[in-house]
């Protein structure tokens, strides 16, 4: 099912991985989001809602992890990319926080979710891993999570999954996806600058994988259980209707995830920059 949207062209600066741009956005009408704003499907909508919870605090974690080693970056090009990365992540966090306020207005359990996420991930698990494996571990986790977000962005754009979103939510998701592709190699390149350890890179990716899947699936089903408009019948109806999305997303995501284990892997190998640029001009 496709949702028709009228897009207001914003004439945004082109995607450039060598010189990313901080694009400040102004999305309209999102305060009137319907309860199930992805293809009128609760299962898909609450999957995206889980990301809205994860992103603001996650973006702040990415920024801190990269900034902690920014003084060791001597290459001027990478230093400028780090600044743009930070600026983009700040904007992403702000826009997703706006959506959290909308979701609170829909009586979603946002405050409980955010507190649970902040405490378990950022006050317990990650500090514990940092204590055991050292300060560079957080940077390795960031690089791994950036690979996930860029991979999902590429798949979403390629299959136009954003076109199923209501109104300007389509543009918000597409803008974020394009910028995730644009800056996807920044955290990785900073990690390679401070440590070329294959063990550290893969350990970070494994931890990132558990975090990414664990929190996204848990929060998605927390949303579903708290949604008074979702009973057992609708749950399975929407789950079944979402299978086509899954067939497009998960096989490619698994393939891209496995690429991360190659010793000579680099995010630029997966491309997607022209694809992102073609998508960006539709916002």
């Amino acid at each position: 099912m496709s949702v028709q949207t009228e897009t207001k062209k914003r004439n945004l600066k082109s995607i450039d991985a060598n010189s990313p741009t901080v694009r400040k956005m102004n999305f309209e009408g999102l305060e009137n989001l319907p309860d199930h704003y992805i293809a009128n499907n609760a299962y898909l909508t609450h999957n995206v809602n889980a990301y809205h919870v994860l992103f603001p605090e996650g973006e702040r974690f990415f920024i801190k992890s990269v900034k902690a080693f920014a003084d060791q970056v001597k290459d001027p090009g990478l230093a400028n990319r780090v600044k743009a990365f930070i600026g983009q992540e700040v904007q992403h966090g702000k826009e997703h926080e706006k959506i959290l306020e909308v979701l609170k207005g829909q009586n979603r359990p946002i405050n409980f979710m955010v507190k649970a996420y902040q405490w378990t991930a950022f006050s317990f698990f990650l500090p514990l891993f940092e204590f055991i494996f050292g300060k560079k571990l957080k940077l390795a986790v960031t690089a791994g999570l950036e690979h996930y977000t860029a991979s999902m962005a590429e798949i979403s754009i390629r299959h136009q999954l954003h076109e199923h979103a209501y109104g300007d939510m389509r543009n918000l998701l597409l803008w974020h996806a394009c910028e995730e592709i644009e800056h996807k190699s920044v955290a990785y390149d900073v990690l390679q600058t401070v440590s070329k350890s294959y063990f550290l890179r893969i350990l970070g990716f494994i931890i990132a994988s558990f975090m990414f899947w664990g929190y996204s699936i848990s929060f998605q089903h927390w949303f579903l259980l708290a949604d008074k408009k979702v009973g057992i019948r609708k749950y399975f109806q929407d789950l079944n209707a979402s299978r086509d999305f899954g067939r497009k997303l998960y096989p490619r995501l698994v393939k891209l995830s496995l690429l991360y284990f190659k010793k000579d892997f680099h995010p630029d190998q997966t491309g997607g920059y022209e694809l992102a640029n073609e998508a960006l001009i539709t916002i």
Side-chain angles (χ1 to χ4, degrees), residues 58-99:
E59 310 287 14
R60 284 188 279 271
F61 168 71
F62 294 167
I63 292 169
K64 291 176 184 176
S65 298
V66 171
K67 283 183 72 174
F69 297 95
D71 61 342
Q72 297 184 41
V73 175
K74 305 305 179 184
D75 177 68
L78 180 55
N80 287 331
R81 288 164 56 212
V82 166
K83 291 178 183 178
F85 169 86
I86 292 171
Q88 286 186 342
E89 297 293 42
V90 167
Q91 294 304 313
H92 296 171
K94 286 181 179 179
E95 294 303 328
H96 287 285
E97 283 182 327
K98 291 177 185 177
I99 301 302

Side-chain angles (χ1 to χ4, degrees), residues 138-150:
K138 287 184 179 178
L139 181 59
V141 172
T142 296
L145 287 169
E146 283 290 314
H147 182 61
Y148 269 114
T149 56

Side-chain angles (χ1 to χ4, degrees), residues 244-280:
D244 185 53
F245 288 79
R247 283 190 288 268
K248 293 174 180 176
L249 175 64
Y250 295 119
R252 173 69 175 166
L253 185 57
V254 170
K255 183 177 180 180
L256 290 171
S257 298
L258 291 176
L259 284 179
Y260 204 84
F261 288 87
K262 291 174 57 179
K263 284 206 169 183
D264 63 347
F265 172 79
H266 188 275
D268 285 346
Q269 294 171 0
T270 61
Y273 297 117
E274 289 194 10
L275 181 71
N277 199 45
E278 290 171 2
L280 189 68

Side-chain angles (χ1 to χ4, degrees), residues 43-185:
Y43 194 86
L44 293 172
T45 297
H46 289 317
N47 186 31
V48 175
N49 281 342
Y51 299 138
H52 289 310
V53 173
L54 297 178
F55 282 140
E57 198 63 37
E59 310 287 14
R60 284 188 279 271
F61 168 71
F62 294 167
I63 292 169
K64 291 176 184 176
S65 298
V66 171
K67 283 183 72 174
F69 297 95
D71 61 342
Q72 297 184 41
V73 175
K74 305 305 179 184
D75 177 68
L78 180 55
N80 287 331
R81 288 164 56 212
V82 166
K83 291 178 183 178
F85 169 86
I86 292 171
Q88 286 186 342
E89 297 293 42
V90 167
Q91 294 304 313
H92 296 171
K94 286 181 179 179
E95 294 303 328
H96 287 285
E97 283 182 327
K98 291 177 185 177
I99 301 302
L100 291 185
E101 292 303 313
V102 174
L103 295 179
K104 288 178 185 178
Q106 295 180 348
N107 296 316
R108 310 296 184 194
I110 299 301
N111 289 335
F112 292 110
M113 288 185 176
V114 170
K115 288 179 181 178
Y117 178 44
Q118 288 175 335
W119 189 86
T120 57
F122 303 107
S123 296
F124 181 71
F125 287 121
L126 287 168
L128 176 61
F129 289 132
E130 181 183 31
F131 175 77
I132 297 172
F133 298 106
K135 292 184 177 181
K136 295 176 184 176
L137 188 277
K138 287 184 179 178
L139 181 59
V141 172
T142 296
L145 287 169
E146 283 290 314
H147 182 61
Y148 269 114
T149 56
S151 297
M152 290 190 67
E154 182 259 319
I155 298 166
S156 177
I157 294 172
R158 190 173 300 280
H159 293 285
Q160 298 186 323
L161 301 184
H162 52 276
E163 297 296 347
H164 297 266
Y166 171 88
D168 232 10
M169 178 61 77
R170 176 258 188 200
N171 291 329
L172 187 157
L173 297 176
L174 183 56
W175 158 75
H176 192 162
C178 290
E179 293 195 346
E180 287 300 318
I181 292 173
E182 185 176 37
H183 70 227
K184 66 179 177 178
S185 64

Side-chain angles (χ1 to χ4, degrees), residues 179-199:
E179 293 195 346
E180 287 300 318
I181 292 173
E182 185 176 37
H183 70 227
K184 66 179 177 178
S185 64
V186 174
Y188 187 96
D189 286 345
V190 174
L191 176 63
Q192 291 299 295
T193 298
V194 301
S195 174
K196 296 188 181 299
S197 168
Y198 178 78
F199 171 78

Side-chain angles (χ1 to χ4, degrees), residues 28-41:
E28 300 176 347
L30 295 180
E31 67 277 4
N32 299 315
L33 273 180
D35 288 334
H36 305 140
Y37 57 81
I38 305 290
N40 196 31
N41 185 301

